[in-house]
Amino acid sequence: VNTLQTSRGCPFSCNFCPTAKLFGGSYRTRSIDAVIADIRARRHLSPFFFVVDNSFMGDRAHAVELLRRLARERLDIALTVFERHEIGLDDEMLKLLRRAGVRCIIVGIESLEDANLPAYNKRQSSAQAIRAVENIRRHDMHVIGTFVIGGDDDTASAGDRIARFVTETGISLNLFIVHDLE
């Protein structure tokens, strides 16, 4: 699997994530020509590209332009990207992602316990995240769900609920354990 970076940083500041501190709250993008050249130079090694951007859609206009270019170029690649749950509620964007070669989206669900989400500074509900996952799957893309265990409102059954959700939806699991948000 090739790694690819199209941007650096994240416009959000989730409490459990070090990205805002690492990149000083800034968000920068690479030129689309440079990204395409990078893909062309390495796709002979593997058609699979893991896009390591902290938020692929952090600059929506840049991401749309890049996705349109990837779709036009027909590079025969399979991309995995990180993105917030909102992407799963946007059918037009999901169609563009699929046309551009995105086959997997890593979605920050974080918790199925709504009481935990404000502590993580997540502007979502578990119902919104669940709808987003279902919609991404309907657009024929795989989902890797990221979850955080250890929130103040987690109960002993929180892990069981996540395991059931992962099993029922067919997504893959990426789990983080939080000891202290500070």
Side-chain angles (χ1 to χ4, degrees), residues 16-180:
F16 58 87
C17 181
T19 300
K21 288 181 181 117
L22 287 171
F23 299 109
S26 66
Y27 187 83
R28 301 175 301 284
T29 58
R30 287 179 68 197
S31 80
I32 291 171
D33 287 338
V35 172
I36 298 296
D38 198 3
I39 291 170
R40 287 188 184 285
R42 293 186 293 126
R43 78 171 175 199
H44 72 281
L45 300 171
S46 170
F48 301 102
F49 285 81
F50 179 57
V51 181
V52 297
D53 301 18
N54 300 101
S55 177
F56 182 74
M57 301 289 297
D59 178 337
R60 187 179 175 98
H62 181 266
V64 166
E65 187 179 345
L66 174 59
L67 291 168
R68 287 180 177 155
R69 175 86 179 269
L70 288 168
R72 276 194 317 272
E73 298 273 339
R74 298 180 188 204
L75 297 169
D76 195 29
I77 56 174
L79 301 167
T80 295
V81 300
F82 284 96
E83 194 45 55
R84 292 173 57 89
H85 85 283
E86 291 95 342
I87 196 67
L89 304 174
D90 185 339
D91 287 324
E92 183 180 328
M93 187 57 65
L94 290 172
K95 288 174 187 172
L96 179 56
L97 286 158
R98 179 79 180 142
R99 277 197 319 272
V102 174
R103 298 298 176 259
C104 179
I105 301 176
I106 302 170
V107 178
I109 299 168
E110 316 327 345
S111 181
L112 297 174
E113 308 299 327
D114 286 335
N116 282 331
L117 295 170
Y120 299 154
N121 198 26
K122 295 295 286 191
R123 293 174 238 148
Q124 68 192 45
S125 69
S126 60
Q128 290 169 326
I130 290 167
R131 271 197 320 278
V133 166
E134 291 168 348
N135 201 34
I136 293 167
R137 301 275 290 139
R138 275 194 294 277
H139 283 81
D140 198 27
M141 288 179 275
H142 185 65
V143 174
I144 298 173
T146 64
F147 293 89
V148 178
I149 286 275
D152 289 344
D153 289 297
D154 277 338
T155 64
S157 65
D160 292 334
R161 186 169 179 207
I162 291 169
R164 260 191 324 278
F165 175 73
V166 167
T167 301
E168 290 169 2
T169 58
I171 69 172
S172 297
L173 174 67
N174 188 11
L175 184 66
F176 299 95
I177 298 174
V178 147
H179 298 286
D180 185 350

